[in-house]
């Protein structure tokens, strides 16, 4: 793998340094540290391989989150090919989840909101692949985003072996060799294409809807408003979720519940009234919020806060 572990920063001061590193190397991401910030560690190493960036990341942060606004501000032009070196991760984008164990891979599109949840201290590699180069290689088709490429699958075995060989020797390649190796990696990823959906349930439309909802989660979100602002019909909006065995209302509700759960668990909101947190995320009726929260997490909001149980991402 990489020649050495990235230099780690520790504690509260280390968290500030990490956030600056992360912004400079990967773009705008919010870091959600665990409650005991004194135990935080994180480090990032950046290398180049032809037209691609190769980033080695190690941290015990709880999660990294990229909002739709952050993605727009960065004007990102990369797909992130994530290779899990150690630990476990749950990657979320476009309403999908990729659960990665050691040796697994997945693609993330930096142009849209995403979330990376780390189940323990972990280390992963991120290849930053120019969007236009990968899309050209796929002949106009869309890459399959947030799909787990298992380490023991035929493609995962081939891809993992290639990545390990490249990373162990990448500093020895000259510029022409680096470009050729980058081109070979794009070729290996070409099978991850999918036909562009001709119906209203296209990945791009769905991604725009999800990004819109995430950016305005604290607002009143009627189907009519979402459809109008995103530029689809109300029927097409419902179909986007139906084709993924989802419900628009359930998607919004579960996302709001997750935000409530995160703030109930966060030390910075420990003294905040439960009703204020519920209202902030669109629950105007406290009794309804308590019933809905219990149905999702199995305990009342008050007991959840006392139990200090970290929020599990809902499976949408």
């Amino acid at each position: 793998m990489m020649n050495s572990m990235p230099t780690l920063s520790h504690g509260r001061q280390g968290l500030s340094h990490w956030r600056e590193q992360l912004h400079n190397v990967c773009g705008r991401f919010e870091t959600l540290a665990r409650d005991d910030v004194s135990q935080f560690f994180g480090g990032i190493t950046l290398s180049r391989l032809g037209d691609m960036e190769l980033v080695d990341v190690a941290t015990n942060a709880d999660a990294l989150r990229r909002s739709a606004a952050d993605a727009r501000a960065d004007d990102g032009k990369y797909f992130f090919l994530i290779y899990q070196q150690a630990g476990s991760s749950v990657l979320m984008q476009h309403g999908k989840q990729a659960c990665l164990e050691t040796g697994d891979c997945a693609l993330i599109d930096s142009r849209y909101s995403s979330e990376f949840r780390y189940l323990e201290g972990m280390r992963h590699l991120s290849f930053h692949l120019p969007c236009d180069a990968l899309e050209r290689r796929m002949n106009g088709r869309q890459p399959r985003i947030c799909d787990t490429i298992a380490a023991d699958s035929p493609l995962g075995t081939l891809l993992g072996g290639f990545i390990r060989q490249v990373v162990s020797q990448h500093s020895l390649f000259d510029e022409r060799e680096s470009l050729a190796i980058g081109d070979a990696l794009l070729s290996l990823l070409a099978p991850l294409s999918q036909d562009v959906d001709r119906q209203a349930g296209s990945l791009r439309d769905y991604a725009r809807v999800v990004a819109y909802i995430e950016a305005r989660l604290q607002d009143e979100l009627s189907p009519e408003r979402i459809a109008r602002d995103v530029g689809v019909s109300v029927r097409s909006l419902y179909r986007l979720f139906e084709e993924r065995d989802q419900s628009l209302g359930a998607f919004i509700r579960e996302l709001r519940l997750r935000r409530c759960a995160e703030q109930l668990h966060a030390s910075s909101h420990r003294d905040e009234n439960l009703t204020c947190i519920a209202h902030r995320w669109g629950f105007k009726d406290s009794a309804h919020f308590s019933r809905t929260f219990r149905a999702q997490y199995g305990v009342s909001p008050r007991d959840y806060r006392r139990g200090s149980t970290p929020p599990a991402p809902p499976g949408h």
Side-chain angles (χ1 to χ4, degrees), residues 148-204:
T148 302
I149 308 169
D152 58 357
S153 68
L155 179 58
T157 300
L158 181 62
L159 192 57
F162 181 84
I163 289 172
R164 290 189 293 272
Q165 287 293 319
V166 168
V167 172
S168 65
Q169 303 182 59
H170 76 281
S171 60
L172 305 178
F173 301 133
D174 61 27
E175 182 177 357
R176 187 174 65 176
E177 291 168 337
S178 294
L179 288 170
I181 289 167
D183 192 61
L185 179 58
L186 294 177
S187 296
L188 285 175
L189 293 173
L192 290 177
S193 67
Q194 60 188 358
D195 290 325
V196 177
D197 197 335
R198 297 179 182 178
Q199 302 176 356
S202 71
L203 180 61
R204 196 169 296 277

Side-chain angles (χ1 to χ4, degrees), residues 60-281:
N60 68 344
D62 186 52
L64 306 180
R65 182 183 299 148
R66 182 174 176 83
S67 69
D70 288 338
R72 287 194 298 271
D74 273 345
D75 191 25
K77 296 181 174 65
Y78 294 98
F79 291 105
F80 296 159
L81 173 63
I82 306 299
Y83 175 84
Q84 192 75 27
Q85 294 194 78
S88 303
S89 301
V90 179
L91 314 185
M92 290 173 274
Q93 189 168 51
H94 302 338
K96 298 171 61 180
Q97 291 186 1
C99 299
L100 304 188
E101 301 293 340
T102 301
D104 296 341
C105 299
L107 274 174
I108 294 293
D109 192 335
S110 73
R111 296 171 293 186
Y112 301 100
S113 59
S114 59
E115 188 165 339
F116 296 34
R117 286 200 167 272
Y118 303 132
L119 308 184
E120 54 193 86
M122 72 87 223
R123 187 181 182 192
H124 73 216
L125 290 172
S126 179
F127 290 83
H128 295 183
L129 315 172
C131 290
D132 56 352
L134 183 57
E135 288 172 341
R136 280 198 308 270
R137 191 57 54 92
M138 293 184 171
N139 295 321
R141 296 183 175 187
Q142 295 298 312
R144 296 205 311 269
I145 299 301
C146 213
D147 276 0
T148 302
I149 308 169
D152 58 357
S153 68
L155 179 58
T157 300
L158 181 62
L159 192 57
F162 181 84
I163 289 172
R164 290 189 293 272
Q165 287 293 319
V166 168
V167 172
S168 65
Q169 303 182 59
H170 76 281
S171 60
L172 305 178
F173 301 133
D174 61 27
E175 182 177 357
R176 187 174 65 176
E177 291 168 337
S178 294
L179 288 170
I181 289 167
D183 192 61
L185 179 58
L186 294 177
S187 296
L188 285 175
L189 293 173
L192 290 177
S193 67
Q194 60 188 358
D195 290 325
V196 177
D197 197 335
R198 297 179 182 178
Q199 302 176 356
S202 71
L203 180 61
R204 196 169 296 277
D205 282 347
Y206 182 75
R208 289 194 300 122
V209 171
V210 169
Y212 178 90
I213 290 171
E214 289 180 335
R216 295 163 180 82
L217 203 56
Q218 297 180 10
D219 300 346
E220 293 287 343
L221 288 175
S222 68
E224 291 76 18
R225 176 188 173 182
I226 296 171
R228 181 189 68 241
D229 291 354
V230 174
V232 299
S233 70
V234 173
R235 178 64 195 125
S236 295
L237 174 65
Y238 282 123
R239 192 182 299 128
L240 286 172
F241 289 86
E242 290 168 0
E243 292 177 349
R244 291 163 175 82
D245 296 322
Q246 295 175 330
S247 151
L248 172 63
F251 179 86
I252 295 173
R253 181 177 64 253
E254 290 178 359
L255 197 55
R256 283 173 165 164
L257 284 170
R258 193 201 309 171
R259 296 291 180 262
C260 290
E262 288 169 349
Q263 293 195 343
L264 288 172
H265 180 247
S267 57
S268 57
H269 293 271
R270 185 167 294 149
D271 297 324
E272 188 171 9
N273 185 279
L274 294 176
T275 302
C276 291
I277 293 176
H279 282 199
R280 177 178 303 125
W281 296 108

Side-chain angles (χ1 to χ4, degrees), residues 19-85:
R19 284 172 169 153
E20 182 179 353
Q21 274 190 305
L22 185 67
H23 181 274
N24 291 337
V25 174
C26 300
R28 291 172 171 83
F29 279 88
E30 176 189 5
T31 299
L32 304 179
R34 302 181 192 278
D35 270 355
D36 189 355
V37 178
S38 67
Q39 299 300 311
F40 171 83
F41 67 78
I44 300 176
T45 300
L46 171 66
S47 306
R48 298 205 66 88
L49 187 65
D51 293 333
M52 297 184 297
E53 294 177 341
L54 174 56
V55 182
D56 193 355
V57 179
T59 186
N60 68 344
D62 186 52
L64 306 180
R65 182 183 299 148
R66 182 174 176 83
S67 69
D70 288 338
R72 287 194 298 271
D74 273 345
D75 191 25
K77 296 181 174 65
Y78 294 98
F79 291 105
F80 296 159
L81 173 63
I82 306 299
Y83 175 84
Q84 192 75 27
Q85 294 194 78

